Amino acid sequence: MIEQTLITTEEKVRGTHVETDSEFDDRNIKCVDCGENFIWTAGEQVFFHDKGLKNEPKRCKGCKQAKNERLAAIAAAQSSGVRQRIEVSVQCAQCGQQTTVPFYPSQGRPVYCRACFLAARADGNAAPA
């Protein structure tokens, strides 16, 4: 019994001990950016728990990487003092046409192509309905 405890403690010190706790099961989560489901594995959940992270992930790995790259590009532009023009490819919320915009769209807010935006402005609306 003492020998088992020593081995377990030694494994924990070396970082080779992995708890197989039934409280962590693979979970499906919907990505807030692309809307696709992704799996948050039990291993990832254990990592979050061990690091004291309270919130579950909101983005799939691809969208998380894209977000980190956007943030890095913004930080690099700000630190260099150079104003860089960005172009982000999006789909118009009204007509569905693929277009580009000079900003990073906010989560949950619609983005319109130039024609739909100008048509709504001409009608006196702030944005298309």
PDB file of all heavy atoms in Angstrom, residues 15-55:
ATOM      1  N   GLY A  15       4.752  14.406 -13.662  1.00  0.00           N
ATOM      2  CA  GLY A  15       3.753  14.838 -14.630  1.00  0.00           C
ATOM      3  C   GLY A  15       3.258  13.715 -15.514  1.00  0.00           C
ATOM      4  O   GLY A  15       2.657  13.954 -16.548  1.00  0.00           O
ATOM      5  N   THR A  16       3.536  12.449 -15.126  1.00  0.00           N
ATOM      6  CA  THR A  16       3.086  11.333 -15.942  1.00  0.00           C
ATOM      7  C   THR A  16       1.774  10.757 -15.455  1.00  0.00           C
ATOM      8  O   THR A  16       1.211   9.879 -16.078  1.00  0.00           O
ATOM      9  CB  THR A  16       4.143  10.200 -15.950  1.00  0.00           C
ATOM     10  OG1 THR A  16       4.372   9.781 -14.610  1.00  0.00           O
ATOM     11  CG2 THR A  16       5.425  10.680 -16.579  1.00  0.00           C
ATOM     12  N   HIS A  17       1.271  11.257 -14.361  1.00  0.00           N
ATOM     13  CA  HIS A  17       0.023  10.748 -13.810  1.00  0.00           C
ATOM     14  C   HIS A  17      -1.147  11.376 -14.545  1.00  0.00           C
ATOM     15  O   HIS A  17      -1.221  12.582 -14.705  1.00  0.00           O
ATOM     16  CB  HIS A  17      -0.068  11.079 -12.316  1.00  0.00           C
ATOM     17  CG  HIS A  17      -1.360  10.660 -11.695  1.00  0.00           C
ATOM     18  ND1 HIS A  17      -1.651   9.353 -11.454  1.00  0.00           N
ATOM     19  CD2 HIS A  17      -2.445  11.370 -11.302  1.00  0.00           C
ATOM     20  CE1 HIS A  17      -2.856   9.268 -10.912  1.00  0.00           C
ATOM     21  NE2 HIS A  17      -3.361  10.497 -10.817  1.00  0.00           N
ATOM     22  N   VAL A  18      -2.040  10.538 -15.023  1.00  0.00           N
ATOM     23  CA  VAL A  18      -3.234  11.021 -15.699  1.00  0.00           C
ATOM     24  C   VAL A  18      -4.439  10.468 -14.965  1.00  0.00           C
ATOM     25  O   VAL A  18      -4.586   9.263 -14.821  1.00  0.00           O
ATOM     26  CB  VAL A  18      -3.270  10.557 -17.174  1.00  0.00           C
ATOM     27  CG1 VAL A  18      -4.548  11.012 -17.854  1.00  0.00           C
ATOM     28  CG2 VAL A  18      -2.060  11.057 -17.917  1.00  0.00           C
ATOM     29  N   GLU A  19      -5.278  11.382 -14.488  1.00  0.00           N
ATOM     30  CA  GLU A  19      -6.473  10.947 -13.783  1.00  0.00           C
ATOM     31  C   GLU A  19      -7.517  10.541 -14.800  1.00  0.00           C
ATOM     32  O   GLU A  19      -7.754  11.248 -15.765  1.00  0.00           O
ATOM     33  CB  GLU A  19      -7.024  12.077 -12.908  1.00  0.00           C
ATOM     34  CG  GLU A  19      -6.185  12.349 -11.704  1.00  0.00           C
ATOM     35  CD  GLU A  19      -6.840  13.366 -10.783  1.00  0.00           C
ATOM     36  OE1 GLU A  19      -8.081  13.371 -10.691  1.00  0.00           O
ATOM     37  OE2 GLU A  19      -6.103  14.137 -10.188  1.00  0.00           O
ATOM     38  N   THR A  20      -8.126   9.397 -14.579  1.00  0.00           N
ATOM     39  CA  THR A  20      -9.228   8.976 -15.423  1.00  0.00           C
ATOM     40  C   THR A  20     -10.490   9.202 -14.626  1.00  0.00           C
ATOM     41  O   THR A  20     -10.979   8.324 -13.942  1.00  0.00           O
ATOM     42  CB  THR A  20      -9.081   7.500 -15.830  1.00  0.00           C
ATOM     43  OG1 THR A  20      -8.954   6.724 -14.636  1.00  0.00           O
ATOM     44  CG2 THR A  20      -7.856   7.301 -16.698  1.00  0.00           C
ATOM     45  N   ASP A  21     -10.972  10.426 -14.682  1.00  0.00           N
ATOM     46  CA  ASP A  21     -12.129  10.831 -13.902  1.00  0.00           C
ATOM     47  C   ASP A  21     -13.340  10.860 -14.822  1.00  0.00           C
ATOM     48  O   ASP A  21     -13.280  11.383 -15.928  1.00  0.00           O
ATOM     49  CB  ASP A  21     -11.886  12.225 -13.308  1.00  0.00           C
ATOM     50  CG  ASP A  21     -12.822  12.517 -12.167  1.00  0.00           C
ATOM     51  OD1 ASP A  21     -13.821  11.787 -12.014  1.00  0.00           O
ATOM     52  OD2 ASP A  21     -12.557  13.480 -11.445  1.00  0.00           O
ATOM     53  N   SER A  22     -14.423  10.280 -14.377  1.00  0.00           N
ATOM     54  CA  SER A  22     -15.606  10.186 -15.214  1.00  0.00           C
ATOM     55  C   SER A  22     -16.346  11.521 -15.325  1.00  0.00           C
ATOM     56  O   SER A  22     -17.297  11.614 -16.075  1.00  0.00           O
ATOM     57  CB  SER A  22     -16.550   9.114 -14.673  1.00  0.00           C
ATOM     58  OG  SER A  22     -16.988   9.473 -13.381  1.00  0.00           O
ATOM     59  N   GLU A  23     -15.919  12.551 -14.598  1.00  0.00           N
ATOM     60  CA  GLU A  23     -16.595  13.839 -14.705  1.00  0.00           C
ATOM     61  C   GLU A  23     -16.273  14.534 -16.023  1.00  0.00           C
ATOM     62  O   GLU A  23     -16.956  15.463 -16.422  1.00  0.00           O
ATOM     63  CB  GLU A  23     -16.254  14.751 -13.527  1.00  0.00           C
ATOM     64  CG  GLU A  23     -14.871  15.397 -13.597  1.00  0.00           C
ATOM     65  CD  GLU A  23     -14.607  16.329 -12.446  1.00  0.00           C
ATOM     66  OE1 GLU A  23     -14.121  15.847 -11.422  1.00  0.00           O
ATOM     67  OE2 GLU A  23     -14.905  17.528 -12.580  1.00  0.00           O
ATOM     68  N   PHE A  24     -15.239  14.086 -16.726  1.00  0.00           N
ATOM     69  CA  PHE A  24     -14.863  14.675 -18.005  1.00  0.00           C
ATOM     70  C   PHE A  24     -15.182  13.703 -19.132  1.00  0.00           C
ATOM     71  O   PHE A  24     -14.601  12.635 -19.224  1.00  0.00           O
ATOM     72  CB  PHE A  24     -13.368  15.030 -18.035  1.00  0.00           C
ATOM     73  CG  PHE A  24     -12.974  16.039 -16.992  1.00  0.00           C
ATOM     74  CD1 PHE A  24     -12.144  15.689 -15.940  1.00  0.00           C
ATOM     75  CD2 PHE A  24     -13.434  17.338 -17.063  1.00  0.00           C
ATOM     76  CE1 PHE A  24     -11.786  16.614 -14.979  1.00  0.00           C
ATOM     77  CE2 PHE A  24     -13.084  18.273 -16.104  1.00  0.00           C
ATOM     78  CZ  PHE A  24     -12.244  17.904 -15.062  1.00  0.00           C
ATOM     79  N   ASP A  25     -16.115  14.075 -19.978  1.00  0.00           N
ATOM     80  CA  ASP A  25     -16.464  13.310 -21.162  1.00  0.00           C
ATOM     81  C   ASP A  25     -16.367  14.232 -22.360  1.00  0.00           C
ATOM     82  O   ASP A  25     -16.556  15.451 -22.239  1.00  0.00           O
ATOM     83  CB  ASP A  25     -17.899  12.769 -21.063  1.00  0.00           C
ATOM     84  CG  ASP A  25     -18.058  11.729 -19.951  1.00  0.00           C
ATOM     85  OD1 ASP A  25     -17.128  10.916 -19.768  1.00  0.00           O
ATOM     86  OD2 ASP A  25     -19.095  11.750 -19.268  1.00  0.00           O
ATOM     87  N   ASP A  26     -16.094  13.661 -23.541  1.00  0.00           N
ATOM     88  CA  ASP A  26     -16.062  14.466 -24.760  1.00  0.00           C
ATOM     89  C   ASP A  26     -17.400  15.176 -24.928  1.00  0.00           C
ATOM     90  O   ASP A  26     -18.454  14.592 -24.688  1.00  0.00           O
ATOM     91  CB  ASP A  26     -15.795  13.586 -25.977  1.00  0.00           C
ATOM     92  CG  ASP A  26     -14.365  13.064 -26.016  1.00  0.00           C
ATOM     93  OD1 ASP A  26     -13.576  13.409 -25.125  1.00  0.00           O
ATOM     94  OD2 ASP A  26     -14.049  12.316 -26.958  1.00  0.00           O
ATOM     95  N   ARG A  27     -17.334  16.464 -25.319  1.00  0.00           N
ATOM     96  CA  ARG A  27     -18.555  17.252 -25.484  1.00  0.00           C
ATOM     97  C   ARG A  27     -18.546  17.937 -26.838  1.00  0.00           C
ATOM     98  O   ARG A  27     -17.510  18.385 -27.314  1.00  0.00           O
ATOM     99  CB  ARG A  27     -18.646  18.323 -24.398  1.00  0.00           C
ATOM    100  CG  ARG A  27     -18.849  17.744 -23.022  1.00  0.00           C
ATOM    101  CD  ARG A  27     -18.990  18.788 -21.945  1.00  0.00           C
ATOM    102  NE  ARG A  27     -19.829  19.905 -22.350  1.00  0.00           N
ATOM    103  CZ  ARG A  27     -19.752  21.109 -21.810  1.00  0.00           C
ATOM    104  NH1 ARG A  27     -18.885  21.347 -20.843  1.00  0.00           N
ATOM    105  NH2 ARG A  27     -20.534  22.078 -22.209  1.00  0.00           N
ATOM    106  N   ASN A  28     -19.715  18.039 -27.453  1.00  0.00           N
ATOM    107  CA  ASN A  28     -19.874  18.793 -28.699  1.00  0.00           C
ATOM    108  C   ASN A  28     -20.209  20.240 -28.352  1.00  0.00           C
ATOM    109  O   ASN A  28     -21.078  20.494 -27.525  1.00  0.00           O
ATOM    110  CB  ASN A  28     -21.003  18.214 -29.551  1.00  0.00           C
ATOM    111  CG  ASN A  28     -20.552  17.012 -30.336  1.00  0.00           C
ATOM    112  OD1 ASN A  28     -19.414  16.939 -30.773  1.00  0.00           O
ATOM    113  ND2 ASN A  28     -21.448  16.058 -30.517  1.00  0.00           N
ATOM    114  N   ILE A  29     -19.500  21.171 -28.996  1.00  0.00           N
ATOM    115  CA  ILE A  29     -19.727  22.599 -28.784  1.00  0.00           C
ATOM    116  C   ILE A  29     -19.845  23.245 -30.153  1.00  0.00           C
ATOM    117  O   ILE A  29     -19.130  22.880 -31.092  1.00  0.00           O
ATOM    118  CB  ILE A  29     -18.559  23.236 -27.992  1.00  0.00           C
ATOM    119  CG1 ILE A  29     -18.432  22.580 -26.621  1.00  0.00           C
ATOM    120  CG2 ILE A  29     -18.750  24.740 -27.862  1.00  0.00           C
ATOM    121  CD1 ILE A  29     -17.256  23.070 -25.809  1.00  0.00           C
ATOM    122  N   LYS A  30     -20.728  24.225 -30.279  1.00  0.00           N
ATOM    123  CA  LYS A  30     -20.907  24.950 -31.539  1.00  0.00           C
ATOM    124  C   LYS A  30     -20.004  26.179 -31.550  1.00  0.00           C
ATOM    125  O   LYS A  30     -20.039  27.001 -30.648  1.00  0.00           O
ATOM    126  CB  LYS A  30     -22.374  25.367 -31.695  1.00  0.00           C
ATOM    127  CG  LYS A  30     -22.691  25.964 -33.034  1.00  0.00           C
ATOM    128  CD  LYS A  30     -24.178  26.206 -33.171  1.00  0.00           C
ATOM    129  CE  LYS A  30     -24.494  26.724 -34.553  1.00  0.00           C
ATOM    130  NZ  LYS A  30     -25.940  26.891 -34.736  1.00  0.00           N
ATOM    131  N   CYS A  31     -19.193  26.305 -32.594  1.00  0.00           N
ATOM    132  CA  CYS A  31     -18.268  27.436 -32.747  1.00  0.00           C
ATOM    133  C   CYS A  31     -19.068  28.716 -32.979  1.00  0.00           C
ATOM    134  O   CYS A  31     -19.981  28.746 -33.810  1.00  0.00           O
ATOM    135  CB  CYS A  31     -17.325  27.182 -33.909  1.00  0.00           C
ATOM    136  SG  CYS A  31     -16.187  28.543 -34.256  1.00  0.00           S
ATOM    137  N   VAL A  32     -18.722  29.785 -32.248  1.00  0.00           N
ATOM    138  CA  VAL A  32     -19.443  31.053 -32.382  1.00  0.00           C
ATOM    139  C   VAL A  32     -19.098  31.777 -33.686  1.00  0.00           C
ATOM    140  O   VAL A  32     -19.858  32.636 -34.125  1.00  0.00           O
ATOM    141  CB  VAL A  32     -19.182  32.004 -31.180  1.00  0.00           C
ATOM    142  CG1 VAL A  32     -19.716  31.417 -29.904  1.00  0.00           C
ATOM    143  CG2 VAL A  32     -17.713  32.348 -31.062  1.00  0.00           C
ATOM    144  N   ASP A  33     -17.971  31.442 -34.307  1.00  0.00           N
ATOM    145  CA  ASP A  33     -17.578  32.121 -35.544  1.00  0.00           C
ATOM    146  C   ASP A  33     -18.121  31.428 -36.792  1.00  0.00           C
ATOM    147  O   ASP A  33     -18.784  32.054 -37.605  1.00  0.00           O
ATOM    148  CB  ASP A  33     -16.055  32.233 -35.637  1.00  0.00           C
ATOM    149  CG  ASP A  33     -15.482  33.252 -34.671  1.00  0.00           C
ATOM    150  OD1 ASP A  33     -16.259  34.069 -34.140  1.00  0.00           O
ATOM    151  OD2 ASP A  33     -14.266  33.239 -34.440  1.00  0.00           O
ATOM    152  N   CYS A  34     -17.855  30.131 -36.939  1.00  0.00           N
ATOM    153  CA  CYS A  34     -18.253  29.430 -38.164  1.00  0.00           C
ATOM    154  C   CYS A  34     -19.542  28.634 -38.009  1.00  0.00           C
ATOM    155  O   CYS A  34     -20.130  28.214 -38.999  1.00  0.00           O
ATOM    156  CB  CYS A  34     -17.131  28.510 -38.640  1.00  0.00           C
ATOM    157  SG  CYS A  34     -16.793  27.090 -37.563  1.00  0.00           S
ATOM    158  N   GLY A  35     -19.997  28.419 -36.779  1.00  0.00           N
ATOM    159  CA  GLY A  35     -21.247  27.710 -36.543  1.00  0.00           C
ATOM    160  C   GLY A  35     -21.134  26.195 -36.610  1.00  0.00           C
ATOM    161  O   GLY A  35     -22.121  25.493 -36.430  1.00  0.00           O
ATOM    162  N   GLU A  36     -19.944  25.678 -36.860  1.00  0.00           N
ATOM    163  CA  GLU A  36     -19.738  24.226 -36.928  1.00  0.00           C
ATOM    164  C   GLU A  36     -19.566  23.659 -35.527  1.00  0.00           C
ATOM    165  O   GLU A  36     -19.065  24.339 -34.628  1.00  0.00           O
ATOM    166  CB  GLU A  36     -18.491  23.900 -37.759  1.00  0.00           C
ATOM    167  CG  GLU A  36     -18.606  24.294 -39.219  1.00  0.00           C
ATOM    168  CD  GLU A  36     -19.619  23.456 -39.979  1.00  0.00           C
ATOM    169  OE1 GLU A  36     -19.693  22.243 -39.717  1.00  0.00           O
ATOM    170  OE2 GLU A  36     -20.336  24.022 -40.813  1.00  0.00           O
ATOM    171  N   ASN A  37     -19.965  22.407 -35.355  1.00  0.00           N
ATOM    172  CA  ASN A  37     -19.743  21.727 -34.084  1.00  0.00           C
ATOM    173  C   ASN A  37     -18.320  21.198 -34.030  1.00  0.00           C
ATOM    174  O   ASN A  37     -17.780  20.764 -35.049  1.00  0.00           O
ATOM    175  CB  ASN A  37     -20.725  20.559 -33.911  1.00  0.00           C
ATOM    176  CG  ASN A  37     -22.118  21.033 -33.580  1.00  0.00           C
ATOM    177  OD1 ASN A  37     -22.298  22.053 -32.939  1.00  0.00           O
ATOM    178  ND2 ASN A  37     -23.109  20.307 -34.055  1.00  0.00           N
ATOM    179  N   PHE A  38     -17.716  21.267 -32.858  1.00  0.00           N
ATOM    180  CA  PHE A  38     -16.403  20.675 -32.642  1.00  0.00           C
ATOM    181  C   PHE A  38     -16.418  19.941 -31.313  1.00  0.00           C
ATOM    182  O   PHE A  38     -17.282  20.170 -30.475  1.00  0.00           O
ATOM    183  CB  PHE A  38     -15.277  21.728 -32.694  1.00  0.00           C
ATOM    184  CG  PHE A  38     -15.326  22.745 -31.582  1.00  0.00           C
ATOM    185  CD1 PHE A  38     -14.559  22.578 -30.440  1.00  0.00           C
ATOM    186  CD2 PHE A  38     -16.114  23.884 -31.689  1.00  0.00           C
ATOM    187  CE1 PHE A  38     -14.593  23.524 -29.420  1.00  0.00           C
ATOM    188  CE2 PHE A  38     -16.155  24.827 -30.675  1.00  0.00           C
ATOM    189  CZ  PHE A  38     -15.395  24.643 -29.536  1.00  0.00           C
ATOM    190  N   ILE A  39     -15.473  19.022 -31.153  1.00  0.00           N
ATOM    191  CA  ILE A  39     -15.433  18.203 -29.947  1.00  0.00           C
ATOM    192  C   ILE A  39     -14.423  18.777 -28.971  1.00  0.00           C
ATOM    193  O   ILE A  39     -13.266  19.011 -29.319  1.00  0.00           O
ATOM    194  CB  ILE A  39     -15.069  16.743 -30.296  1.00  0.00           C
ATOM    195  CG1 ILE A  39     -16.147  16.142 -31.184  1.00  0.00           C
ATOM    196  CG2 ILE A  39     -14.899  15.917 -29.027  1.00  0.00           C
ATOM    197  CD1 ILE A  39     -15.821  14.764 -31.704  1.00  0.00           C
ATOM    198  N   TRP A  40     -14.883  19.013 -27.757  1.00  0.00           N
ATOM    199  CA  TRP A  40     -14.007  19.406 -26.650  1.00  0.00           C
ATOM    200  C   TRP A  40     -13.719  18.113 -25.905  1.00  0.00           C
ATOM    201  O   TRP A  40     -14.569  17.591 -25.195  1.00  0.00           O
ATOM    202  CB  TRP A  40     -14.711  20.425 -25.765  1.00  0.00           C
ATOM    203  CG  TRP A  40     -13.836  21.038 -24.723  1.00  0.00           C
ATOM    204  CD1 TRP A  40     -12.491  21.209 -24.767  1.00  0.00           C
ATOM    205  CD2 TRP A  40     -14.254  21.583 -23.471  1.00  0.00           C
ATOM    206  NE1 TRP A  40     -12.046  21.840 -23.634  1.00  0.00           N
ATOM    207  CE2 TRP A  40     -13.111  22.075 -22.818  1.00  0.00           C
ATOM    208  CE3 TRP A  40     -15.490  21.713 -22.847  1.00  0.00           C
ATOM    209  CZ2 TRP A  40     -13.164  22.669 -21.567  1.00  0.00           C
ATOM    210  CZ3 TRP A  40     -15.534  22.314 -21.607  1.00  0.00           C
ATOM    211  CH2 TRP A  40     -14.390  22.775 -20.979  1.00  0.00           C
ATOM    212  N   THR A  41     -12.517  17.585 -26.104  1.00  0.00           N
ATOM    213  CA  THR A  41     -12.191  16.261 -25.586  1.00  0.00           C
ATOM    214  C   THR A  41     -12.032  16.275 -24.070  1.00  0.00           C
ATOM    215  O   THR A  41     -11.804  17.324 -23.456  1.00  0.00           O
ATOM    216  CB  THR A  41     -10.889  15.728 -26.209  1.00  0.00           C
ATOM    217  OG1 THR A  41      -9.798  16.562 -25.782  1.00  0.00           O
ATOM    218  CG2 THR A  41     -10.964  15.703 -27.731  1.00  0.00           C
ATOM    219  N   ALA A  42     -12.123  15.098 -23.495  1.00  0.00           N
ATOM    220  CA  ALA A  42     -11.941  14.954 -22.053  1.00  0.00           C
ATOM    221  C   ALA A  42     -10.538  15.412 -21.646  1.00  0.00           C
ATOM    222  O   ALA A  42     -10.363  16.056 -20.609  1.00  0.00           O
ATOM    223  CB  ALA A  42     -12.172  13.504 -21.631  1.00  0.00           C
ATOM    224  N   GLY A  43      -9.543  15.112 -22.475  1.00  0.00           N
ATOM    225  CA  GLY A  43      -8.179  15.550 -22.191  1.00  0.00           C
ATOM    226  C   GLY A  43      -8.049  17.062 -22.157  1.00  0.00           C
ATOM    227  O   GLY A  43      -7.348  17.621 -21.308  1.00  0.00           O
ATOM    228  N   GLU A  44      -8.707  17.730 -23.093  1.00  0.00           N
ATOM    229  CA  GLU A  44      -8.690  19.193 -23.102  1.00  0.00           C
ATOM    230  C   GLU A  44      -9.403  19.744 -21.874  1.00  0.00           C
ATOM    231  O   GLU A  44      -8.987  20.750 -21.299  1.00  0.00           O
ATOM    232  CB  GLU A  44      -9.351  19.719 -24.378  1.00  0.00           C
ATOM    233  CG  GLU A  44      -8.549  19.432 -25.634  1.00  0.00           C
ATOM    234  CD  GLU A  44      -9.325  19.686 -26.906  1.00  0.00           C
ATOM    235  OE1 GLU A  44     -10.577  19.626 -26.888  1.00  0.00           O
ATOM    236  OE2 GLU A  44      -8.673  19.942 -27.936  1.00  0.00           O
ATOM    237  N   GLN A  45     -10.470  19.079 -21.453  1.00  0.00           N
ATOM    238  CA  GLN A  45     -11.200  19.511 -20.265  1.00  0.00           C
ATOM    239  C   GLN A  45     -10.343  19.367 -19.015  1.00  0.00           C
ATOM    240  O   GLN A  45     -10.353  20.239 -18.138  1.00  0.00           O
ATOM    241  CB  GLN A  45     -12.499  18.716 -20.115  1.00  0.00           C
ATOM    242  CG  GLN A  45     -13.501  19.022 -21.208  1.00  0.00           C
ATOM    243  CD  GLN A  45     -14.718  18.145 -21.123  1.00  0.00           C
ATOM    244  OE1 GLN A  45     -15.285  17.981 -20.049  1.00  0.00           O
ATOM    245  NE2 GLN A  45     -15.126  17.588 -22.251  1.00  0.00           N
ATOM    246  N   VAL A  46      -9.572  18.279 -18.939  1.00  0.00           N
ATOM    247  CA  VAL A  46      -8.663  18.089 -17.806  1.00  0.00           C
ATOM    248  C   VAL A  46      -7.616  19.197 -17.805  1.00  0.00           C
ATOM    249  O   VAL A  46      -7.291  19.757 -16.755  1.00  0.00           O
ATOM    250  CB  VAL A  46      -7.994  16.691 -17.867  1.00  0.00           C
ATOM    251  CG1 VAL A  46      -6.868  16.574 -16.858  1.00  0.00           C
ATOM    252  CG2 VAL A  46      -9.029  15.600 -17.647  1.00  0.00           C
ATOM    253  N   PHE A  47      -7.090  19.540 -18.986  1.00  0.00           N
ATOM    254  CA  PHE A  47      -6.109  20.629 -19.095  1.00  0.00           C
ATOM    255  C   PHE A  47      -6.711  21.935 -18.584  1.00  0.00           C
ATOM    256  O   PHE A  47      -6.081  22.648 -17.800  1.00  0.00           O
ATOM    257  CB  PHE A  47      -5.655  20.771 -20.549  1.00  0.00           C
ATOM    258  CG  PHE A  47      -4.742  21.937 -20.781  1.00  0.00           C
ATOM    259  CD1 PHE A  47      -3.384  21.843 -20.499  1.00  0.00           C
ATOM    260  CD2 PHE A  47      -5.218  23.137 -21.282  1.00  0.00           C
ATOM    261  CE1 PHE A  47      -2.535  22.917 -20.703  1.00  0.00           C
ATOM    262  CE2 PHE A  47      -4.383  24.216 -21.498  1.00  0.00           C
ATOM    263  CZ  PHE A  47      -3.039  24.106 -21.203  1.00  0.00           C
ATOM    264  N   PHE A  48      -7.929  22.266 -19.034  1.00  0.00           N
ATOM    265  CA  PHE A  48      -8.601  23.483 -18.572  1.00  0.00           C
ATOM    266  C   PHE A  48      -8.754  23.455 -17.054  1.00  0.00           C
ATOM    267  O   PHE A  48      -8.511  24.451 -16.378  1.00  0.00           O
ATOM    268  CB  PHE A  48      -9.981  23.620 -19.234  1.00  0.00           C
ATOM    269  CG  PHE A  48      -9.969  24.335 -20.555  1.00  0.00           C
ATOM    270  CD1 PHE A  48      -9.170  23.906 -21.602  1.00  0.00           C
ATOM    271  CD2 PHE A  48     -10.778  25.432 -20.766  1.00  0.00           C
ATOM    272  CE1 PHE A  48      -9.168  24.558 -22.820  1.00  0.00           C
ATOM    273  CE2 PHE A  48     -10.786  26.094 -21.980  1.00  0.00           C
ATOM    274  CZ  PHE A  48      -9.981  25.657 -23.006  1.00  0.00           C
ATOM    275  N   HIS A  49      -9.172  22.316 -16.520  1.00  0.00           N
ATOM    276  CA  HIS A  49      -9.376  22.175 -15.073  1.00  0.00           C
ATOM    277  C   HIS A  49      -8.068  22.375 -14.320  1.00  0.00           C
ATOM    278  O   HIS A  49      -8.005  23.099 -13.326  1.00  0.00           O
ATOM    279  CB  HIS A  49      -9.976  20.804 -14.767  1.00  0.00           C
ATOM    280  CG  HIS A  49     -10.217  20.567 -13.314  1.00  0.00           C
ATOM    281  ND1 HIS A  49      -9.303  19.918 -12.516  1.00  0.00           N
ATOM    282  CD2 HIS A  49     -11.264  20.908 -12.518  1.00  0.00           C
ATOM    283  CE1 HIS A  49      -9.778  19.872 -11.281  1.00  0.00           C
ATOM    284  NE2 HIS A  49     -10.967  20.459 -11.255  1.00  0.00           N
ATOM    285  N   ASP A  50      -6.995  21.735 -14.803  1.00  0.00           N
ATOM    286  CA  ASP A  50      -5.688  21.830 -14.136  1.00  0.00           C
ATOM    287  C   ASP A  50      -5.126  23.245 -14.162  1.00  0.00           C
ATOM    288  O   ASP A  50      -4.447  23.669 -13.237  1.00  0.00           O
ATOM    289  CB  ASP A  50      -4.683  20.867 -14.772  1.00  0.00           C
ATOM    290  CG  ASP A  50      -5.013  19.402 -14.496  1.00  0.00           C
ATOM    291  OD1 ASP A  50      -5.867  19.135 -13.618  1.00  0.00           O
ATOM    292  OD2 ASP A  50      -4.425  18.530 -15.169  1.00  0.00           O
ATOM    293  N   LYS A  51      -5.410  23.986 -15.231  1.00  0.00           N
ATOM    294  CA  LYS A  51      -4.918  25.361 -15.348  1.00  0.00           C
ATOM    295  C   LYS A  51      -5.831  26.368 -14.653  1.00  0.00           C
ATOM    296  O   LYS A  51      -5.534  27.552 -14.621  1.00  0.00           O
ATOM    297  CB  LYS A  51      -4.774  25.758 -16.826  1.00  0.00           C
ATOM    298  CG  LYS A  51      -3.736  24.957 -17.570  1.00  0.00           C
ATOM    299  CD  LYS A  51      -2.357  25.269 -17.063  1.00  0.00           C
ATOM    300  CE  LYS A  51      -1.312  24.507 -17.837  1.00  0.00           C
ATOM    301  NZ  LYS A  51       0.030  24.731 -17.335  1.00  0.00           N
ATOM    302  N   GLY A  52      -6.975  25.898 -14.136  1.00  0.00           N
ATOM    303  CA  GLY A  52      -7.897  26.786 -13.440  1.00  0.00           C
ATOM    304  C   GLY A  52      -8.756  27.620 -14.380  1.00  0.00           C
ATOM    305  O   GLY A  52      -9.316  28.637 -13.982  1.00  0.00           O
ATOM    306  N   LEU A  53      -8.873  27.193 -15.640  1.00  0.00           N
ATOM    307  CA  LEU A  53      -9.689  27.920 -16.607  1.00  0.00           C
ATOM    308  C   LEU A  53     -11.143  27.552 -16.392  1.00  0.00           C
ATOM    309  O   LEU A  53     -11.509  26.390 -16.334  1.00  0.00           O
ATOM    310  CB  LEU A  53      -9.254  27.578 -18.034  1.00  0.00           C
ATOM    311  CG  LEU A  53      -7.778  27.847 -18.344  1.00  0.00           C
ATOM    312  CD1 LEU A  53      -7.413  27.313 -19.712  1.00  0.00           C
ATOM    313  CD2 LEU A  53      -7.487  29.332 -18.253  1.00  0.00           C
ATOM    314  N   LYS A  54     -12.001  28.549 -16.262  1.00  0.00           N
ATOM    315  CA  LYS A  54     -13.405  28.328 -15.913  1.00  0.00           C
ATOM    316  C   LYS A  54     -14.322  28.255 -17.133  1.00  0.00           C
ATOM    317  O   LYS A  54     -15.335  27.580 -17.101  1.00  0.00           O
ATOM    318  CB  LYS A  54     -13.902  29.441 -14.983  1.00  0.00           C
ATOM    319  CG  LYS A  54     -13.105  29.564 -13.702  1.00  0.00           C
ATOM    320  CD  LYS A  54     -13.264  28.347 -12.835  1.00  0.00           C
ATOM    321  CE  LYS A  54     -12.463  28.515 -11.549  1.00  0.00           C
ATOM    322  NZ  LYS A  54     -12.296  27.274 -10.843  1.00  0.00           N
ATOM    323  N   ASN A  55     -14.004  28.983 -18.203  1.00  0.00           N
ATOM    324  CA  ASN A  55     -14.884  29.045 -19.368  1.00  0.00           C
ATOM    325  C   ASN A  55     -14.491  27.997 -20.397  1.00  0.00           C
ATOM    326  O   ASN A  55     -13.312  27.805 -20.680  1.00  0.00           O
ATOM    327  CB  ASN A  55     -14.823  30.428 -20.010  1.00  0.00           C
ATOM    328  CG  ASN A  55     -15.267  31.512 -19.067  1.00  0.00           C
ATOM    329  OD1 ASN A  55     -16.173  31.304 -18.268  1.00  0.00           O
ATOM    330  ND2 ASN A  55     -14.627  32.662 -19.140  1.00  0.00           N
TER     331      ASN A  55
END
